[in-house]
Amino acid sequence: MKSDIRVCSAWRERHSRPVYTLSEECPDCGATAENSAPAPFNPEDPHGEYRRALKRRNQQ
């Protein structure tokens, strides 16, 4: 899963704070930009089916 918001991959070495962007590279230093956050879920989650069933049951 990809996010639109990216962060400079070298911000710890080159910047005093994270530099966020929507482009493929950092606007300040030109380093590549990477996904700013991990995916919120794993599509191969073995317990996802049970979690969704429990959620549906609690909504009723």
Side-chain angles (χ1 to χ4, degrees):
M1 175 179 229
K2 289 184 127 182
S3 172
D4 289 337
I5 300 175
R6 298 171 172 267
V7 67
C8 175
S9 61
W11 76 266
R12 289 177 183 85
E13 296 86 28
R14 299 182 184 176
H15 309 289
S16 60
R17 59 179 180 76
V19 176
Y20 295 96
T21 183
L22 295 175
S23 66
E24 296 287 325
E25 57 184 42
C26 177
D28 293 342
C29 67
T32 59
E34 58 189 22
N35 192 357
S36 63
F41 65 91
N42 180 359
E44 292 124 16
D45 182 10
H47 303 290
E49 178 184 345
Y50 303 110
R51 214 174 285 115
R52 289 185 293 273
L54 182 64
K55 186 175 181 179
R56 281 192 296 268
R57 196 173 351 154
N58 288 338
Q59 287 178 347
Q60 294 175 358

